[in-house]
Coordinates of all heavy atoms in Angstrom, one line a residue:
D1 N -15.9 -1.2 14.3 CA -15.7 -2.5 13.6 C -17.0 -3.2 13.4 O -17.2 -3.9 12.5 CB -14.7 -3.4 14.4 CG -13.3 -3.0 14.2 OD1 -13.0 -2.2 13.3 OD2 -12.4 -3.4 15.0
S2 N -18.0 -3.0 14.3 CA -19.2 -3.7 14.2 C -20.0 -3.2 13.0 O -20.6 -4.0 12.3 CB -20.1 -3.5 15.5 OG -20.4 -2.2 15.7
L3 N -20.0 -1.9 12.6 CA -20.6 -1.4 11.4 C -19.9 -2.0 10.2 O -20.6 -2.3 9.2 CB -20.5 0.1 11.4 CG -21.4 0.8 12.4 CD1 -21.1 2.3 12.5 CD2 -22.9 0.6 12.2
Y4 N -18.6 -2.0 10.2 CA -17.8 -2.5 9.1 C -18.2 -4.0 8.9 O -18.4 -4.4 7.8 CB -16.3 -2.4 9.5 CG -15.3 -3.1 8.7 CD1 -15.0 -2.6 7.4 CD2 -14.7 -4.2 9.2 CE1 -14.1 -3.3 6.7 CE2 -13.7 -4.8 8.4 CZ -13.4 -4.3 7.2 OH -12.4 -5.0 6.4
G5 N -18.3 -4.8 10.0 CA -18.7 -6.2 9.9 C -20.1 -6.4 9.4 O -20.4 -7.4 8.8
A6 N -21.0 -5.4 9.6 CA -22.4 -5.5 9.2 C -22.6 -5.0 7.8 O -23.7 -4.9 7.3 CB -23.3 -4.7 10.2
G7 N -21.5 -4.6 7.1 CA -21.6 -4.1 5.8 C -22.0 -2.7 5.6 O -22.4 -2.2 4.6
E8 N -22.0 -1.9 6.7 CA -22.4 -0.5 6.7 C -21.1 0.3 6.5 O -20.7 1.0 7.4 CB -23.1 -0.2 8.0 CG -24.4 -0.9 8.3 CD -25.4 -0.4 7.4 OE1 -25.3 0.7 6.8 OE2 -26.5 -1.1 7.3
D9 N -20.5 0.2 5.4 CA -19.2 0.8 5.1 C -19.2 2.3 5.3 O -18.2 2.9 5.8 CB -18.7 0.4 3.7 CG -18.4 -1.1 3.7 OD1 -17.8 -1.6 4.6 OD2 -18.9 -1.7 2.7
S10 N -20.2 3.1 4.8 CA -20.2 4.5 5.0 C -20.2 4.9 6.5 O -19.5 5.8 6.8 CB -21.4 5.1 4.3 OG -21.3 5.0 2.9
L11 N -21.1 4.2 7.2 CA -21.1 4.5 8.7 C -19.8 4.1 9.3 O -19.4 4.8 10.3 CB -22.3 3.8 9.3 CG -23.7 4.2 8.8 CD1 -24.8 3.4 9.4 CD2 -23.9 5.7 9.2
A12 N -19.2 3.0 8.9 CA -18.0 2.5 9.5 C -16.9 3.6 9.2 O -16.1 3.9 10.1 CB -17.6 1.2 8.9
A13 N -16.9 4.1 8.0 CA -15.9 5.1 7.7 C -16.0 6.3 8.6 O -15.0 6.9 9.1 CB -16.0 5.6 6.2
A14 N -17.2 6.7 8.9 CA -17.5 7.9 9.8 C -17.0 7.5 11.2 O -16.4 8.4 11.8 CB -19.0 8.2 9.8
G15 N -17.2 6.3 11.6 CA -16.7 5.9 12.9 C -15.1 5.9 13.0 O -14.6 6.3 14.0
Y16 N -14.5 5.4 12.0 CA -13.1 5.4 11.9 C -12.5 6.8 11.9 O -11.5 7.1 12.6 CB -12.5 4.5 10.7 CG -12.8 3.1 10.8 CD1 -13.5 2.4 9.8 CD2 -12.3 2.4 11.9 CE1 -13.7 1.1 9.9 CE2 -12.6 1.0 12.0 CZ -13.3 0.4 11.0 OH -13.5 -1.0 11.1
R17 N -13.2 7.7 11.2 CA -12.7 9.1 11.1 C -12.8 9.7 12.5 O -11.9 10.4 12.9 CB -13.6 9.9 10.2 CG -13.2 9.7 8.7 CD -14.1 10.6 7.8 NE -13.9 10.4 6.4 CZ -13.0 11.0 5.7 NH1 -12.1 11.8 6.3 NH2 -12.8 10.8 4.4
A18 N -13.9 9.4 13.2 CA -14.1 10.0 14.6 C -13.0 9.4 15.5 O -12.5 10.2 16.3 CB -15.5 9.6 15.1
A19 N -12.7 8.1 15.4 CA -11.7 7.6 16.2 C -10.3 8.2 16.0 O -9.6 8.5 16.9 CB -11.6 6.0 16.0
L20 N -10.0 8.4 14.7 CA -8.8 9.0 14.3 C -8.7 10.4 14.8 O -7.6 10.9 15.2 CB -8.5 8.9 12.8 CG -8.2 7.5 12.3 CD1 -8.5 7.4 10.8 CD2 -6.8 7.1 12.6
A21 N -9.8 11.2 14.7 CA -9.8 12.5 15.2 C -9.5 12.7 16.7 O -9.0 13.7 17.1 CB -11.1 13.2 14.8
Q22 N -10.0 11.7 17.4 CA -9.8 11.7 18.9 C -8.5 11.0 19.4 O -8.2 11.1 20.6 CB -11.0 11.1 19.6 CG -12.3 11.8 19.3 CD -13.5 11.1 19.8 OE1 -13.4 10.1 20.6 NE2 -14.7 11.5 19.5
A23 N -7.8 10.4 18.5 CA -6.6 9.6 18.9 C -5.5 10.5 19.3 O -5.3 11.6 18.7 CB -6.2 8.8 17.7
P24 N -4.8 10.1 20.3 CA -3.6 10.9 20.7 C -2.4 10.7 19.7 O -2.4 9.8 18.9 CB -3.2 10.2 22.1 CG -3.7 8.9 22.0 CD -5.0 8.9 21.1
A25 N -1.5 11.7 19.8 CA -0.3 11.5 18.9 C 0.4 10.2 19.2 O 0.5 9.8 20.4 CB 0.6 12.8 19.2
G26 N 0.9 9.6 18.2 CA 1.6 8.4 18.4 C 0.8 7.2 18.7 O 1.3 6.1 19.2
W27 N -0.5 7.2 18.4 CA -1.5 6.2 18.7 C -1.0 4.9 18.0 O -0.9 4.9 16.8 CB -2.9 6.6 18.3 CG -4.0 5.6 18.6 CD1 -4.1 4.9 19.7 CD2 -5.1 5.4 17.8 NE1 -5.3 4.2 19.7 CE2 -5.9 4.4 18.5 CE3 -5.5 5.8 16.6 CZ2 -7.1 4.0 18.0 CZ3 -6.7 5.3 16.1 CH2 -7.5 4.4 16.8
A28 N -0.8 3.9 18.8 CA -0.3 2.6 18.2 C -1.3 2.0 17.2 O -0.8 1.3 16.3 CB 0.0 1.6 19.3
A29 N -2.6 2.2 17.3 CA -3.5 1.6 16.4 C -3.8 2.5 15.1 O -4.6 2.1 14.3 CB -4.8 1.5 17.2
Y30 N -3.0 3.6 15.0 CA -3.3 4.5 13.8 C -3.1 3.7 12.5 O -4.1 3.9 11.7 CB -2.3 5.7 13.9 CG -2.4 6.6 12.7 CD1 -3.4 7.6 12.7 CD2 -1.5 6.5 11.6 CE1 -3.5 8.5 11.6 CE2 -1.7 7.3 10.6 CZ -2.7 8.3 10.6 OH -2.8 9.2 9.5
P31 N -2.1 2.9 12.2 CA -2.0 2.3 11.0 C -3.2 1.3 10.7 O -3.7 1.3 9.6 CB -0.8 1.5 11.1 CG 0.1 2.2 12.1 CD -0.9 2.7 13.1
R32 N -3.6 0.6 11.7 CA -4.8 -0.3 11.5 C -6.1 0.5 11.3 O -6.9 0.1 10.4 CB -5.0 -1.2 12.8 CG -6.1 -2.2 12.6 CD -6.8 -2.4 13.9 NE -8.0 -3.3 13.7 CZ -9.2 -2.9 13.4 NH1 -9.4 -1.6 13.1 NH2 -10.2 -3.7 13.2
A33 N -6.2 1.6 12.0 CA -7.4 2.4 11.7 C -7.4 3.0 10.3 O -8.5 3.1 9.7 CB -7.6 3.5 12.8
I34 N -6.3 3.4 9.8 CA -6.1 4.0 8.5 C -6.5 2.9 7.5 O -7.3 3.1 6.5 CB -4.8 4.5 8.2 CG1 -4.6 5.9 9.0 CG2 -4.5 4.7 6.7 CD1 -5.5 7.0 8.6
D35 N -5.9 1.7 7.7 CA -6.3 0.6 6.7 C -7.8 0.3 6.7 O -8.4 0.2 5.7 CB -5.6 -0.7 7.1 CG -4.1 -0.8 6.7 OD1 -3.8 -0.2 5.7 OD2 -3.3 -1.4 7.4
A36 N -8.4 0.3 7.9 CA -9.8 0.0 8.0 C -10.6 1.1 7.3 O -11.6 0.9 6.6 CB -10.2 -0.2 9.4
L37 N -10.2 2.4 7.6 CA -10.9 3.6 7.0 C -10.8 3.5 5.5 O -11.8 3.7 4.8 CB -10.3 4.9 7.5 CG -10.8 6.2 6.9 CD1 -12.3 6.3 7.0 CD2 -10.1 7.3 7.5
L38 N -9.6 3.3 4.9 CA -9.5 3.2 3.5 C -10.3 2.1 2.9 O -10.9 2.3 1.8 CB -8.0 3.0 3.1 CG -7.1 4.2 3.4 CD1 -5.7 3.9 3.3 CD2 -7.5 5.4 2.4
F39 N -10.4 0.9 3.5 CA -11.2 -0.2 3.1 C -12.7 0.2 3.1 O -13.4 0.0 2.1 CB -10.9 -1.4 3.9 CG -11.6 -2.6 3.4 CD1 -11.1 -3.3 2.2 CD2 -12.8 -3.1 3.9 CE1 -11.8 -4.5 1.8 CE2 -13.4 -4.2 3.5 CZ -12.9 -5.0 2.4
A40 N -13.1 0.8 4.1 CA -14.6 1.2 4.2 C -14.9 2.3 3.2 O -15.9 2.2 2.6 CB -14.9 1.7 5.6
L41 N -14.0 3.2 3.0 CA -14.2 4.2 1.9 C -14.2 3.6 0.5 O -15.1 4.0 -0.3 CB -13.1 5.3 2.0 CG -13.2 6.2 3.2 CD1 -11.9 7.1 3.3 CD2 -14.4 7.1 3.2
S42 N -13.4 2.7 0.3 CA -13.3 2.0 -1.0 C -14.6 1.2 -1.2 O -15.2 1.3 -2.3 CB -12.1 1.1 -1.1 OG -12.1 0.4 -2.3
N43 N -15.1 0.5 -0.3 CA -16.3 -0.3 -0.4 C -17.5 0.6 -0.6 O -18.5 0.1 -1.1 CB -16.5 -1.2 0.8 CG -15.6 -2.4 0.7 OD1 -15.0 -2.7 -0.3 ND2 -15.6 -3.2 1.8
S44 N -17.5 1.8 -0.2 CA -18.6 2.7 -0.4 C -18.4 3.7 -1.5 O -19.1 4.7 -1.6 CB -19.0 3.4 1.0 OG -17.8 4.1 1.5
G45 N -17.3 3.5 -2.3 CA -17.1 4.3 -3.5 C -16.7 5.7 -3.3 O -17.1 6.6 -4.1
Q46 N -16.0 6.0 -2.2 CA -15.7 7.4 -1.9 C -14.2 7.7 -2.3 O -13.3 8.0 -1.5 CB -15.9 7.6 -0.4 CG -17.3 7.4 0.0 CD -17.5 7.7 1.5 OE1 -17.2 8.8 2.0 NE2 -18.1 6.8 2.2
D47 N -14.0 7.8 -3.6 CA -12.7 7.9 -4.1 C -12.0 9.2 -3.7 O -10.8 9.3 -3.4 CB -12.6 7.8 -5.7 CG -12.9 6.3 -6.1 OD1 -12.2 5.4 -5.5 OD2 -13.7 6.1 -7.0
A48 N -12.8 10.3 -3.8 CA -12.2 11.6 -3.4 C -11.7 11.6 -1.9 O -10.7 12.1 -1.6 CB -13.1 12.8 -3.7
A49 N -12.5 11.0 -1.1 CA -12.2 10.9 0.4 C -10.9 10.0 0.5 O -10.1 10.3 1.4 CB -13.3 10.3 1.1
I50 N -10.8 8.9 -0.3 CA -9.6 8.1 -0.2 C -8.4 8.9 -0.5 O -7.4 8.8 0.2 CB -9.8 6.9 -1.1 CG1 -10.8 5.9 -0.6 CG2 -8.4 6.2 -1.3 CD1 -11.2 4.8 -1.6
L51 N -8.5 9.7 -1.5 CA -7.3 10.6 -1.9 C -6.9 11.4 -0.7 O -5.7 11.6 -0.4 CB -7.6 11.4 -3.1 CG -7.6 10.7 -4.4 CD1 -8.1 11.6 -5.5 CD2 -6.3 10.1 -4.7
D52 N -7.9 12.0 -0.1 CA -7.5 12.9 1.1 C -6.9 12.1 2.2 O -5.9 12.6 2.8 CB -8.8 13.6 1.6 CG -9.4 14.6 0.6 OD1 -8.6 15.2 -0.2 OD2 -10.6 15.0 0.7
V53 N -7.5 11.0 2.6 CA -6.9 10.2 3.7 C -5.5 9.7 3.3 O -4.6 9.8 4.2 CB -7.9 9.0 4.0 CG1 -7.2 8.0 4.9 CG2 -9.2 9.5 4.5
A54 N -5.4 9.2 2.1 CA -4.0 8.7 1.7 C -3.0 9.8 1.7 O -1.9 9.6 2.3 CB -4.1 8.1 0.3
K55 N -3.3 11.0 1.2 CA -2.4 12.0 1.2 C -2.0 12.5 2.6 O -0.8 12.7 2.9 CB -3.0 13.2 0.5 CG -2.0 14.4 0.2 CD -2.6 15.3 -0.8 CE -3.6 16.3 -0.3 NZ -4.0 17.3 -1.2
D56 N -2.9 12.4 3.5 CA -2.5 12.8 5.0 C -1.8 11.7 5.7 O -0.9 11.9 6.5 CB -3.8 13.1 5.7 CG -4.4 14.5 5.3 OD1 -3.8 15.3 4.6 OD2 -5.7 14.6 5.5
A57 N -2.2 10.4 5.4 CA -1.6 9.3 6.1 C -0.2 8.9 5.7 O 0.6 8.4 6.5 CB -2.6 8.1 6.0
L58 N 0.0 9.0 4.4 CA 1.3 8.4 3.9 C 2.6 8.9 4.6 O 3.4 8.1 5.0 CB 1.5 8.7 2.4 CG 0.6 7.9 1.5 CD1 0.6 8.4 0.0 CD2 1.1 6.4 1.5
P59 N 2.7 10.2 4.9 CA 3.9 10.6 5.7 C 4.0 10.0 7.1 O 5.0 9.9 7.6 CB 3.8 12.1 5.7 CG 2.8 12.5 4.8 CD 1.9 11.3 4.5
R60 N 2.8 9.7 7.6 CA 2.8 9.2 9.0 C 3.0 7.7 9.2 O 3.2 7.2 10.3 CB 1.4 9.5 9.7 CG 1.2 11.0 9.8 CD -0.1 11.3 10.4 NE -0.1 10.9 11.8 CZ -1.2 11.0 12.6 NH1 -2.3 11.6 12.1 NH2 -1.2 10.5 13.8
V61 N 2.9 6.9 8.0 CA 3.0 5.5 8.1 C 4.2 5.0 7.2 O 4.2 3.9 6.8 CB 1.7 4.8 7.6 CG1 0.6 5.1 8.6 CG2 1.3 5.2 6.2
K62 N 5.3 5.8 7.1 CA 6.4 5.4 6.3 C 7.0 4.1 6.9 O 7.0 3.9 8.1 CB 7.5 6.5 6.4 CG 7.2 7.8 5.6 CD 8.3 8.8 5.7 CE 7.9 10.0 5.0 NZ 8.9 11.1 5.2
R63 N 7.5 3.4 5.9 CA 8.2 2.1 6.2 C 7.3 1.1 7.0 O 7.8 0.3 7.9 CB 9.5 2.3 7.0 CG 10.5 3.2 6.2 CD 11.8 3.3 7.0 NE 12.7 4.1 6.2 CZ 13.1 5.3 6.5 NH1 12.8 5.8 7.7 NH2 14.0 5.9 5.7
T64 N 6.0 1.0 6.7 CA 5.0 0.1 7.2 C 4.2 -0.5 6.1 O 4.1 0.1 5.0 CB 4.1 0.8 8.3 OG1 3.2 1.6 7.5 CG2 4.8 1.6 9.3
P65 N 3.6 -1.6 6.4 CA 2.7 -2.2 5.4 C 1.5 -1.2 5.0 O 1.0 -1.3 3.9 CB 2.2 -3.5 6.0 CG 3.3 -3.9 7.0 CD 3.8 -2.6 7.5
T66 N 1.1 -0.4 6.0 CA 0.1 0.5 5.8 C 0.4 1.6 4.7 O -0.4 2.0 4.0 CB -0.4 1.2 7.1 OG1 -0.9 0.2 8.0 CG2 -1.5 2.2 6.9
W67 N 1.7 1.9 4.6 CA 2.2 2.8 3.6 C 1.8 2.2 2.2 O 1.2 3.0 1.3 CB 3.7 3.1 3.7 CG 4.1 4.1 2.7 CD1 4.2 5.5 2.9 CD2 4.5 3.9 1.4 NE1 4.6 6.1 1.8 CE2 4.8 5.2 0.8 CE3 4.6 2.8 0.5 CZ2 5.2 5.3 -0.5 CZ3 5.0 3.0 -0.8 CH2 5.3 4.2 -1.3
A68 N 2.2 1.0 2.0 CA 1.9 0.3 0.7 C 0.4 0.3 0.5 O -0.1 0.5 -0.6 CB 2.5 -1.1 0.7
S69 N -0.4 0.0 1.5 CA -1.9 -0.1 1.3 C -2.4 1.3 1.0 O -3.2 1.4 0.1 CB -2.5 -0.5 2.6 OG -3.9 -0.5 2.6
A70 N -2.0 2.3 1.7 CA -2.5 3.7 1.5 C -2.1 4.2 0.1 O -2.9 4.8 -0.6 CB -2.0 4.7 2.5
A71 N -0.9 3.9 -0.3 CA -0.4 4.3 -1.6 C -1.3 3.6 -2.7 O -1.6 4.2 -3.7 CB 1.1 4.0 -1.8
S72 N -1.5 2.3 -2.5 CA -2.3 1.5 -3.5 C -3.7 2.1 -3.6 O -4.3 2.3 -4.7 CB -2.3 0.1 -3.1 OG -3.2 -0.7 -4.0
Y73 N -4.4 2.3 -2.5 CA -5.7 2.9 -2.5 C -5.7 4.2 -3.1 O -6.6 4.6 -3.9 CB -6.3 3.0 -1.0 CG -7.0 1.8 -0.5 CD1 -6.4 1.0 0.5 CD2 -8.2 1.3 -1.0 CE1 -7.0 -0.1 1.0 CE2 -8.8 0.2 -0.5 CZ -8.2 -0.6 0.5 OH -8.8 -1.7 1.0
G74 N -4.8 5.1 -2.8 CA -4.7 6.4 -3.4 C -4.5 6.4 -4.9 O -5.2 7.1 -5.6
L75 N -3.6 5.6 -5.4 CA -3.4 5.5 -6.8 C -4.6 4.9 -7.5 O -5.1 5.5 -8.6 CB -2.2 4.6 -7.1 CG -0.9 5.2 -6.8 CD1 0.3 4.2 -6.9 CD2 -0.6 6.5 -7.6
S76 N -5.3 3.9 -7.0 CA -6.5 3.3 -7.6 C -7.6 4.4 -7.6 O -8.3 4.5 -8.6 CB -7.0 2.1 -6.8 OG -6.0 1.1 -7.0
S77 N -7.8 5.1 -6.5 CA -8.8 6.1 -6.5 C -8.5 7.3 -7.4 O -9.4 7.8 -8.1 CB -9.0 6.6 -5.1 OG -9.5 5.6 -4.3
A78 N -7.3 7.7 -7.5 CA -6.9 8.8 -8.5 C -7.2 8.4 -9.9 O -7.7 9.2 -10.7 CB -5.4 9.1 -8.3
A79 N -7.0 7.1 -10.2 CA -7.2 6.6 -11.6 C -8.7 6.6 -11.9 O -9.2 6.8 -13.0 CB -6.6 5.2 -11.8
A80 N -9.6 6.4 -10.8 CA -11.0 6.3 -11.0 C -11.7 7.7 -11.1 O -12.8 7.7 -11.6 CB -11.6 5.5 -9.8
L81 N -11.0 8.7 -10.6 CA -11.7 10.0 -10.6 C -11.5 10.7 -12.0 O -10.5 10.5 -12.6 CB -11.1 10.9 -9.6 CG -11.4 10.5 -8.1 CD1 -10.6 11.5 -7.2 CD2 -12.9 10.8 -7.9
P82 N -12.4 11.6 -12.3 CA -12.2 12.4 -13.5 C -10.9 13.2 -13.3 O -10.5 13.6 -12.2 CB -13.4 13.3 -13.6 CG -14.5 12.6 -12.8 CD -13.7 11.8 -11.7
E83 N -10.3 13.5 -14.4 CA -8.9 14.2 -14.4 C -8.9 15.5 -13.5 O -8.0 15.8 -12.8 CB -8.5 14.5 -15.8 CG -7.0 15.0 -15.8 CD -6.5 15.1 -17.2 OE1 -6.9 14.3 -18.1 OE2 -5.7 16.0 -17.5
L84 N -10.0 16.3 -13.6 CA -10.0 17.6 -12.9 C -10.1 17.4 -11.4 O -9.8 18.3 -10.6 CB -11.2 18.4 -13.3 CG -11.1 18.9 -14.8 CD1 -12.4 19.6 -15.2 CD2 -9.9 19.7 -15.0
E85 N -10.5 16.2 -10.9 CA -10.7 16.0 -9.4 C -9.4 15.4 -8.8 O -9.3 15.3 -7.6 CB -11.8 15.1 -9.1 CG -13.2 15.7 -9.5 CD -14.3 14.7 -9.1 OE1 -14.3 14.1 -8.0 OE2 -15.3 14.6 -9.9
R86 N -8.4 15.0 -9.6 CA -7.2 14.3 -9.1 C -6.3 15.4 -8.4 O -6.0 16.4 -9.0 CB -6.5 13.6 -10.2 CG -7.3 12.5 -10.8 CD -6.6 11.8 -11.9 NE -7.5 11.0 -12.6 CZ -7.3 10.5 -13.8 NH1 -6.1 10.8 -14.4 NH2 -8.2 9.8 -14.4
E87 N -5.9 15.1 -7.2 CA -5.1 16.0 -6.4 C -3.9 15.3 -5.8 O -3.1 15.9 -5.1 CB -5.8 16.7 -5.3 CG -6.9 17.6 -5.9 CD -7.6 18.3 -4.8 OE1 -7.1 18.4 -3.6 OE2 -8.7 18.8 -5.0
L88 N -3.7 14.0 -6.0 CA -2.6 13.3 -5.4 C -1.3 13.4 -6.1 O -1.2 13.5 -7.3 CB -3.0 11.8 -5.2 CG -2.3 11.0 -4.1 CD1 -2.8 9.7 -4.0 CD2 -1.6 11.6 -3.1

C-alpha cells in the first residue's frame, strides 16, 4: 500500500501480485487486493495485465462489489487494446 500511496503504481502492482501469490485459499483480503491490483495496473497503463487479472479473478469474486469492479476494468481494458490482443 505504501508504494501505491507514493504513486509508484507499477511497483505497487508487483507487490499486490506477490501478496496474492502467497495468499492462502479463502484469504479474506483477496477481493480488496484484487481491487488494488487492478487500480494500480490501470494507473500504469497495463491493459493486457488487467485482462489476465480480471479473467482469473471474476469467478472467485462472484456476488461481490469486486466482481463489478473487475468486470468494469476488464471491459475497459479490452476496449483499449488492439483487436488482436483481446482475449476476454
